């Protein structure tokens, strides 16, 4: 028996002709199963990818809110990331709830060393659906400084966009302008989500460097079962990129997946209920 270190991720491609689609998710856990790591795993699996995780925090959470957060040590977060990348590898990395500056710094340093060429989708999770903070105020600057410049895609909602731009409100500004300003912070692309906007039409904007911005419009679904939509969209997007889809195609598929998941929501809980992440999976015969 030896202590030889496994080959780096890039030398460990999927075996047996397996398709690409390995997504490493670095995020917090949601005990209610609607958001966070649980939603991420369900989404990637439902879209045909392979989900792996590095958990950054545990939450005591349900559809009514977040009742407690237990932090994972930065060192153990790094050990989870290295264990996955050293053996299985990844085709895309999705970042969700990172919570504290120390976690952000550790994740950034570990990925720079262990996966410098793997595309990263950054979902800047800041506030839970029920309004509870999931990102310490001191961590916003670390997120802006360390992770936005290495993001292949940044996926903020309107309140997150305002925080990243150090503003109070972003709902009154044209989304194309907001996306362009976020792009100037360093990411290669920005998918600005318009779910927190007003009116019957939801507008998302995709902005890329040296490309005109694209608008994606859809009728707003009247539903309280929208817990985890941001996590789900970012993971669906990451899965598409991991599977080799062009960015625009991955965005279109991710938006369609989330919309169908809202429409098919199971109706659980007394608050902001979860989505139907498994709507792409055919029921077992007779089930």
């Amino acid at each position: 028996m030896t202590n030889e270190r496994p080959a780096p991720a890039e030398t460990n491609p999927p075996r047996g002709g397996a398709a690409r689609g390995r997504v490493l998710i670095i995020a917090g856990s949601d005990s209610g199963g609607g958001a966070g790591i649980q939603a991420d795993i369900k989404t990637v699996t439902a879209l045909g990818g392979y989900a792996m995780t590095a958990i950054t925090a545990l939450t005591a959470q349900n559809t009514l809110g977040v009742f407690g957060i237990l932090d994972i040590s930065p060192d153990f977060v790094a050990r989870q990331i290295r264990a996955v990348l050293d053996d299985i590898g990844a085709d895309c990395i999705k970042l969700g709830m990172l919570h504290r500056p120390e976690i952000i710094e550790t994740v950034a340093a570990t990925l720079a060393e262990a996966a410098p060429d793997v595309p990263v989708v950054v979902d800047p999770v800041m506030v839970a659906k029920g309004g509870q903070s999931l990102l310490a105020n001191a961590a916003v600057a670390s997120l802006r400084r360390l992770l936005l410049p290495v993001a292949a895609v940044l996926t903020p909602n309107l309140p997150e966009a305002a925080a990243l731009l150090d503003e109070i409100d972003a709902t009154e500004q044209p989304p194309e302008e907001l996306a362009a300003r976020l792009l100037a912070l360093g990411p290669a692309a920005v998918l600005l989500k318009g779910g927190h906007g007003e009116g019957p039409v939801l507008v998302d904007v995709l902005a890329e460097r040296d490309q005109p911005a694209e608008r994606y419009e859809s009728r707003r679904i009247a539903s309280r079962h929208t817990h985890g939509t941001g996590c789900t969209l970012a993971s669906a997007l990451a899965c598409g990129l991991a599977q080799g889809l062009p960015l625009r195609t991955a965005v279109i598929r991710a938006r369609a997946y989330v919309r169908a998941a809202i429409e098919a929501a199971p109706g659980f809980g007394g608050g902001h209920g979860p989505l139907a992440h498994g709507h792409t999976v055919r029921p077992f015969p007779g089930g």
Side-chain angles (χ1 to χ4, degrees), residues 134-214:
L134 297 177
L135 183 71
N137 291 334
V140 176
S142 298
L143 178 67
R144 188 188 298 121
R145 176 173 55 90
L146 296 174
L147 295 181
L148 266 57
V150 300
V153 191
L154 174 69
T155 64
N157 58 32
L158 292 173
E160 291 162 351
L164 289 171
L165 294 170
D166 200 21
E167 297 185 358
I168 297 176
D169 185 16
T171 59
E172 299 299 321
Q173 301 180 49
E176 289 86 355
E177 177 183 318
L178 279 173
R181 293 175 61 197
L182 290 166
L183 203 60
L185 297 178
V190 173
L191 178 61
L192 179 63
K193 302 172 293 189
H196 286 74
E198 300 294 333
V201 177
L202 184 152
V203 178
D204 296 336
V205 170
L206 175 65
E208 299 179 74
R209 296 176 188 169
D210 303 319
Q211 297 287 338
E214 294 192 29

Side-chain angles (χ1 to χ4, degrees), residues 96-279:
M97 175 187 174
L98 301 183
H99 191 50
R100 295 180 294 135
E102 310 93 277
I103 296 292
I104 293 172
E105 292 162 7
T106 295
V107 168
T110 305
L111 293 183
E113 180 182 345
D117 300 319
V118 179
V120 179
V121 173
V122 176
D123 184 24
V125 176
M126 296 182 179
V127 179
K129 187 67 70 177
Q132 297 83 1
S133 176
L134 297 177
L135 183 71
N137 291 334
V140 176
S142 298
L143 178 67
R144 188 188 298 121
R145 176 173 55 90
L146 296 174
L147 295 181
L148 266 57
V150 300
V153 191
L154 174 69
T155 64
N157 58 32
L158 292 173
E160 291 162 351
L164 289 171
L165 294 170
D166 200 21
E167 297 185 358
I168 297 176
D169 185 16
T171 59
E172 299 299 321
Q173 301 180 49
E176 289 86 355
E177 177 183 318
L178 279 173
R181 293 175 61 197
L182 290 166
L183 203 60
L185 297 178
V190 173
L191 178 61
L192 179 63
K193 302 172 293 189
H196 286 74
E198 300 294 333
V201 177
L202 184 152
V203 178
D204 296 336
V205 170
L206 175 65
E208 299 179 74
R209 296 176 188 169
D210 303 319
Q211 297 287 338
E214 294 192 29
R215 289 170 66 97
Y216 299 93
E217 299 184 359
S218 56
R219 298 288 299 180
R220 190 180 298 274
I221 300 171
S223 174
R224 65 179 176 88
H225 301 290
T226 56
H227 181 51
T229 49
C231 301
T232 300
L233 180 67
S235 287
L237 175 58
C239 184
L241 296 178
Q243 292 167 330
L245 296 181
L247 176 57
R248 181 176 180 276
T249 304
V251 167
I252 292 171
R253 186 181 75 162
R255 293 184 79 255
Y257 171 79
V258 172
R259 185 173 184 84
I262 296 173
E263 291 174 334
F268 297 149
H272 298 286
L275 314 184
H277 292 96
H279 69 81

Side-chain angles (χ1 to χ4, degrees), residues 1-29:
M1 182 175 179
T2 69
N3 293 319
E4 185 175 337
R5 186 181 178 89
E10 60 267 25
T11 65
N12 283 337
R15 298 189 178 102
R20 288 160 54 92
R22 300 165 296 171
V23 182
L24 170 58
I25 303 146
I26 305 172
S29 168

